Amino acid sequence: MIVAKPKPFRKIKQFTDPYQNILVVGCNTCVAVCLTGGEKEAEQLAAKIRLHRRREGLGGTVDTVTVLRQCEHEYIEEIKDEVEGRDLILSTACSIGPQALAERYQDVRVVPGMNTKMLGMVKEHHTWSEYCVACGDCVLHKTGGLCPIARCAKELLNGPCGGSQGGRCEISPEVECIWQSIHDRLKRLGMENDLKKILGPRNWSWSKHGGPRTFHKEGFKP
Amino acid sequence: MIIAIGQMSDLSFVDDGGPRLDERGLLVFDADRQATTSPDVFASGEVVTGPGAAVNAIASGKRAAVAIARYLGVAAAELPDPDPIGELPKRLREGYVKPAPRRRMPARDSKERIEDFQEVELGFAEVDARCEASRCLLCGSGARYSQLKCVSCLTCVRVCPYGAPWADKDGLGGIDPAACQACGICYTQCPAKAIDLEVRSEEQVLAEIEEKLAGGGELEIGCWYPQSRVAPDAAAVLLPCTARVSVLMLLRALEAGAEKVYVAVCSDDDDGHFKHGHRQTQAAVAEARAALEDIEMDPDAIELVVVGEKKCLQGKGAPEK
Amino acid sequence: MKSGSTLEKVLVAGNFAVTAELGPPKGADAQVIIDKARILSGHVDAVNITDNQTAIARMSSMAAAKLVIEQGMEPIMQMTCRDRNRLAMQADILGAAALGVKNLLCLTGDHQSFGNHPKSKGVYDLDSVTLVRMVKDMRDVPAFQCGEEITVAPELFIGAAANPYADPFPFRAIRLAKKVEAGIDFVQTQIVYNTEKFAEFMAQCRELGITERCHILAGVAPLKSAGMAKYMKNRVAGMDVPDAVVKRMEDATDAAEEGIDICVEIIEQVRAVEGVSGVHIMAVEWEEAVPEITARAGLKPGSASL
């Protein structure tokens, strides 16, 4: 799931202060699940902006609407009446949302309410960890099912590096050393020999480094 | 309000030509058709059954309504067949729900009362009456869940202290009404507004907040259990548990003109009627205060106030015999 | 000879090699390099020129290496994967070789979050293992990583680092074996304070045949104060400073003197371990300690008896 975190409010007010007719658009998929940009959070943010504007004497209108997924044409089409007449859209979706809205509503300024953080997995409720960086060339079959590209600070393919200590990464004791976990798992599965194989160098052209990517479902011509 | 004071039915108005009465003075009655002996007179409740449980009288009234509708030719009139309430989940039977001890009704001394026919029970003092009333389990007043709005995020499943919500591998879920204690934690945390509360819904509470703040002033969003007010001079919106207080509610209260919002909360070491309710309240207030700091408002405009000793739960309010 | 470097000659001859460390300055001052080189000159076989050590921006290792060569000393140029992609690395490798650099130490590099530019983008196009393989192919095929031919091969003695003290311990020798497999000629280890564990690591290396295929130089470093000992023990990941060492530093009346004593003792101990071909003395910003350590340990540069 995409995990996004609200931008600090000092940014939000910078974005919204100059405008008068603002629509906060929530997204009820990934950012709802990660408790940061769904219907409730969008309403909450709108109330916060209204309070701030009243305090600053900025006037204007701040309303909210939430769609199931901002990354779908049909859903963002549905809010055209709400968008009508607005001078600013503030999206609380991942960064796909503001872009989709900007493409659809060409005459309205669109700003992001969130910083899109990662593709993550919930560790415990209210805590998410990065599991994937969408590198385009999955290596999990070689690494015990755990991703060193997303989960090792140095994206090592032949780790763990010399900073691995007690299962923790050198950059922070809060970060798991994924190579320790890969090591332990391959050992448990009787696959220690895989640890001796040299992996890489990687083909980064399949990642974002190869330029923006487009994917077509096999059999369906674009 | 049901007044259950042990009075008897008064059928003196029934004429000789009207429905017949039996030897006990009750209406002669065909239970299948809710019919009396007069074809156009129907009956229900204790005028036909004699004294019984109020809920049975209510059910009987509903059946009579259907019988009347059919008699009047409303073809589709039919009573829904309610699902029988299942057995309480084991975890609930075993200490999940905090027991609230029964108040002892003050009564006259037996030596004194053998002398006369005066009322034996003396009645509760107000606080005890309130404590006794607050033993209500709030069955069916809690979470109302919308599968349509649900984004299957599992938040409710994870945060409910009673294990009432569930979800299957397809993301389909629900909330077991037998397990729900109506604390509201799931409502407050649901990110998609797929959960509301049956009694004191968000809409009702927001409307009440605005109404109470029509002239500005201070507001307490508090606990409706006895002895729980924390700002007695402020206008009050009272909830079964302040775990139901959302950040939105607090911001809306300030938008509605509140000069100050007090939020009642149980202390860390003295949980109230609901498990972990205070943690949720603390989190929501902390988040709302942080929001105020963000907009350079004094965060003390929202203040968390710990509720004092909760005598109701501890049985300390009960009078000695 | 793969590179013809002094270090290679010393090790191939079976002499005990002594290397030290020379950190480039945080400025464009060539004199700093020259001064440090003069302190170390005659006491070591080669000096490591660090590459933005601990992710702190400094003069480039290639430029500093060239300055060291001009002082008549031999550099071991360090190269990390953190700051360059394979294009830049290969360009620098060819450039360094053209400037006379003959030893290259291949490292992944400390994470950028440790340094003075924590907001920078880490590259990590390759890791140390795949960097080693690339350098080997550049030298021996000779070809670029993409397979294209190289006209004049960079003749380099290829090194890497190994840390016996990081976790998981059973994997440390295996990881070094991967570097051997990828093509290293020598390795310098993390600073040794726990000599017992080091000996255990060396036994694993011998078992895996590593000592027959590459030269191992044990890393050592003089402690300057009890505070430094505690810092390394508690704050530096992958560092193992035994309590006894910390205690000695605490109890010492002259901590710097005690630090050098400990260093000399460790050199004597690691020298006795089968498969150890030399020592690498890391006296960071304390270069003056190196001549004293080598003198007291009775170490002469291996090149002196070639």
Side-chain angles (χ1 to χ4, degrees):
Chain A
M1 181 190 60
I2 297 171
V3 179
K5 199 177 159 189
K7 278 187 179 285
F9 194 74
R10 64 187 157 78
K11 290 278 180 195
I12 301 289
K13 66 184 182 195
Q14 228 176 58
F15 297 168
T16 55
D17 279 1
Y19 299 92
Q20 281 299 305
N21 196 348
I22 300 163
L23 184 64
V24 179
V25 184
C27 181
N28 255 351
T29 302
C30 306
V31 291
V33 175
C34 71
L35 314 176
T36 52
E39 181 167 348
K40 193 184 74 180
E41 295 285 332
E43 283 184 7
Q44 209 168 287
L45 178 60
K48 192 168 163 183
I49 297 170
R50 284 194 299 266
L51 266 178
H52 157 72
R53 295 178 74 88
R54 196 173 66 186
R55 240 182 101 71
E56 302 293 321
L58 295 169
T61 315
V62 183
D63 296 316
T64 321
V65 67
T66 297
V67 299
L68 179 61
R69 282 200 297 279
Q70 287 186 26
C71 54
E72 309 282 7
H73 297 297
E74 291 84 346
Y75 294 141
I76 57 174
E77 187 64 31
E78 282 289 303
I79 59 166
K80 62 176 186 293
D81 292 344
E82 283 91 340
V83 171
E84 181 68 36
R86 304 283 175 176
D87 51 15
L88 188 77
I89 293 173
L90 172 67
S91 165
T92 66
C94 76
S95 68
I96 302 173
Q99 296 184 61
L101 291 163
E103 285 177 1
R104 167 61 185 84
Y105 299 106
Q106 305 233 339
D107 299 323
V108 187
R109 295 184 187 202
V110 181
V111 288
M114 313 286 275
N115 289 320
T116 306
K117 291 290 181 185
M118 61 194 173
L119 302 180
M121 158 92 192
V122 68
K123 296 299 276 186
E124 54 190 282
H125 199 55
H126 302 127
T127 306
W128 293 265
S129 290
E130 184 154 33
Y131 270 53
C132 179
V133 290
C135 73
D137 181 24
C138 196
V139 295
L140 295 177
H141 54 296
K142 296 174 183 168
T143 56
L146 306 171
C147 181
I149 303 301
R151 300 172 70 182
C152 167
K154 300 175 185 171
E155 302 172 31
L156 296 183
L157 281 174
N158 297 288
C161 77
S164 173
Q165 196 123 65
R168 303 279 105 191
C169 172
E170 64 175 17
I171 68 160
S172 161
E174 306 201 339
V175 178
E176 170 187 7
C177 172
I178 199 64
W179 269 104
Q180 171 80 55
S181 307
I182 292 169
H183 170 270
D184 296 348
R185 188 161 157 78
L186 289 176
K187 230 177 147 184
R188 179 200 303 267
L189 297 173
M191 296 166 73
E192 298 95 312
N193 270 339
D194 283 13
L195 290 165
K196 297 177 184 162
K197 293 177 192 157
I198 294 175
L199 303 186
R202 277 177 66 81
N203 181 347
W204 292 108
S205 74
W206 290 326
S207 76
K208 166 69 184 59
H209 296 286
R213 294 164 282 177
T214 299
F215 159 78
H216 303 291
K217 166 80 180 161
E218 206 68 47
F220 293 85
K221 290 218 168 111
Chain B
M1 176 78 75
I2 299 168
I3 302 170
I5 50 175
Q7 289 176 332
M8 296 191 42
S9 311
D10 177 5
L11 292 170
S12 58
F13 65 88
V14 178
D15 299 334
D16 279 351
R20 267 195 294 122
L21 302 179
D22 65 14
E23 65 278 14
R24 288 196 297 159
L26 301 172
L27 289 164
V28 175
F29 179 65
D30 174 352
D32 289 341
R33 297 185 298 118
Q34 298 283 137
T36 64
T37 51
S38 299
D40 53 356
V41 178
F42 296 81
S44 68
E46 296 182 6
V47 289
V48 294
T49 61
V55 69
N56 289 334
I58 294 167
S60 160
K62 286 194 171 187
R63 283 196 298 274
V66 172
I68 294 165
R70 286 202 181 133
Y71 175 73
L72 294 173
V74 182
E78 203 175 309
L79 265 188
D81 191 12
D83 291 334
I85 295 173
E87 198 181 347
L88 210 56
K90 190 159 176 274
R91 61 179 184 278
L92 298 185
R93 283 180 272 137
E94 291 173 0
Y96 241 62
V97 178
K98 195 158 283 184
R102 189 174 183 171
R103 304 285 106 175
R104 191 178 293 118
M105 173 62 79
R108 294 168 67 209
D109 190 88
S110 53
K111 282 180 195 141
E112 197 184 304
R113 68 198 196 211
I114 52 168
E115 303 292 334
D116 58 32
F117 290 97
Q118 299 299 307
E119 181 67 50
V120 172
E121 292 180 335
L122 294 171
F124 283 124
E126 181 180 335
V127 64
D128 292 309
R130 286 179 177 277
C131 288
E132 190 64 9
S134 71
R135 295 175 64 223
C136 167
L137 291 172
L138 301 174
C139 315
S141 75
R144 182 205 296 160
Y145 162 79
S146 159
Q147 182 83 65
L148 274 177
K149 293 212 74 179
C150 176
V151 296
S152 305
C153 69
L154 295 161
T155 298
C156 54
V157 173
R158 292 175 185 148
V159 300
C160 175
Y162 304 102
W166 55 271
D168 69 12
K169 69 170 175 43
D170 298 316
L172 295 174
I175 296 175
D176 177 0
C180 176
Q181 301 300 306
C183 66
I185 293 176
C186 62
Y187 148 76
T188 319
Q189 292 213 23
C190 174
K193 304 190 74 170
I195 301 174
D196 204 342
L197 294 150
E198 203 65 57
V199 168
R200 298 183 85 52
S201 67
E202 177 172 283
E203 196 187 343
Q204 286 167 358
V205 173
L206 288 176
E208 192 182 332
I209 286 173
E210 276 168 21
E211 184 198 315
K212 291 269 164 73
L213 288 167
E218 299 191 333
L219 179 74
E220 170 180 344
I221 304 184
C223 163
W224 76 9
Y225 286 98
Q227 300 168 309
S228 296
R229 286 295 303 274
V230 294
D233 296 332
V237 172
L238 302 179
L239 306 169
C241 181
T242 52
R244 296 178 173 210
V245 174
S246 66
V247 177
L248 183 70
M249 260 175 216
L250 295 169
L251 297 181
R252 287 280 288 271
L254 295 172
E255 273 194 88
E259 285 151 24
K260 172 117 189 174
V261 183
Y262 297 95
V263 183
V265 67
C266 290
S267 69
D268 278 332
D269 44 27
D270 185 16
D271 224 353
H273 277 74
F274 306 103
K275 280 176 192 282
H276 314 328
H278 61 290
R279 290 190 210 154
Q280 173 57 45
T281 315
Q282 287 166 354
V285 168
E287 194 183 342
R289 285 171 59 97
L292 296 190
E293 275 175 20
D294 274 348
I295 60 175
E296 286 161 19
M297 263 180 84
D298 182 2
D300 289 339
I302 300 171
E303 193 184 324
L304 199 62
V305 188
V306 174
V307 173
E309 200 178 31
K310 288 174 284 287
K311 292 179 181 168
C312 292
L313 283 172
Q314 296 151 354
K316 288 180 189 160
E320 296 301 317
K321 58 175 169 177
Chain C
M1 283 288 141
K2 291 166 174 169
S3 67
S5 77
T6 305
L7 181 65
E8 182 181 7
K9 286 176 193 158
V10 167
L11 291 168
V12 169
N15 294 354
F16 198 75
V18 184
T19 58
E21 197 142 298
L22 193 158
K26 288 166 85 174
D29 189 358
Q31 196 59 44
V32 174
I33 307 278
I34 295 164
D35 292 345
K36 285 184 177 179
R38 282 186 183 148
I39 296 170
L40 299 168
S41 181
H43 302 284
V44 296
D45 295 305
V47 283
N48 282 41
I49 314 297
T50 50
D51 177 16
N52 285 346
Q53 191 173 21
T54 58
I56 290 169
R58 294 171 179 275
M59 183 190 289
S60 82
S61 59
M62 190 186 347
K66 174 64 176 164
L67 290 167
V68 164
I69 292 169
E70 285 170 2
Q71 292 307 303
M73 289 190 75
E74 179 165 295
I76 299 168
M77 185 175 127
Q78 298 195 359
M79 176 171 277
T80 70
C81 299
R82 176 192 59 232
D83 307 332
R84 304 169 190 76
N85 67 6
R86 61 190 85 171
L87 272 154
M89 284 174 152
Q90 292 178 106
D92 284 357
I93 288 163
L94 295 180
L99 290 172
V101 171
K102 292 190 169 124
N103 308 296
L104 187 80
L105 192 81
C106 302
L107 306 164
T108 299
D110 292 321
H111 192 263
Q112 61 275 13
S113 60
F114 288 108
N116 61 355
H117 292 76
K119 293 177 181 173
S120 66
K121 183 175 180 183
V123 179
Y124 307 110
D125 180 10
L126 305 178
D127 61 16
S128 53
V129 176
T130 46
L131 169 58
V132 166
R133 172 62 56 81
M134 182 174 81
V135 180
K136 184 182 191 311
D137 289 347
M138 288 174 78
R139 180 189 70 192
D140 296 347
V141 176
F144 288 102
Q145 194 271 325
C146 63
E148 261 175 46
E149 191 186 328
I150 288 177
T151 50
V152 176
E155 290 177 348
L156 293 164
F157 197 50
I158 305 168
N163 185 357
Y165 303 110
D167 289 325
F169 181 62
F171 182 68
R172 303 325 304 187
I174 295 171
R175 182 162 149 87
L176 178 53
K178 284 170 85 161
K179 294 184 179 183
V180 171
E181 186 59 34
I184 55 167
D185 303 307
F186 72 100
V187 64
Q188 292 171 326
T189 74
Q190 170 68 296
I191 303 169
V192 176
Y193 291 111
N194 183 341
T195 48
E196 266 173 47
K197 197 157 190 185
F198 177 75
E200 211 178 315
F201 169 75
M202 285 302 297
Q204 292 173 357
C205 288
R206 291 194 296 272
E207 204 166 306
L208 290 169
I210 291 170
T211 47
E212 287 151 32
R213 297 174 66 193
C214 97
H215 307 281
I216 297 176
L217 279 67
V220 294
L223 291 163
K224 218 170 182 176
S225 65
M228 178 184 171
K230 278 186 255 179
Y231 179 84
M232 287 178 115
K233 178 183 174 65
N234 301 321
R235 298 294 183 82
V236 182
M239 188 75 81
D240 182 346
V241 186
D243 290 333
V245 171
V246 176
K247 176 122 196 350
R248 273 181 70 177
M249 290 303 291
E250 279 172 340
D251 295 347
T253 43
D254 183 342
E257 187 64 23
E258 186 71 16
I260 289 176
D261 280 346
I262 293 169
C263 188
V264 169
E265 286 168 31
I266 290 171
I267 290 174
E268 280 159 7
Q269 289 174 43
V270 296
R271 210 176 166 171
V273 176
E274 190 188 341
V276 173
S277 310
V279 285
H280 175 54
I281 306 165
M282 288 171 262
V284 179
E285 298 306 316
W286 193 19
E287 286 78 9
E288 314 82 64
V290 174
E292 197 183 337
I293 292 166
T294 52
R296 281 169 55 183
L299 285 180
K300 287 205 159 49
S303 48
S305 45
L306 276 177

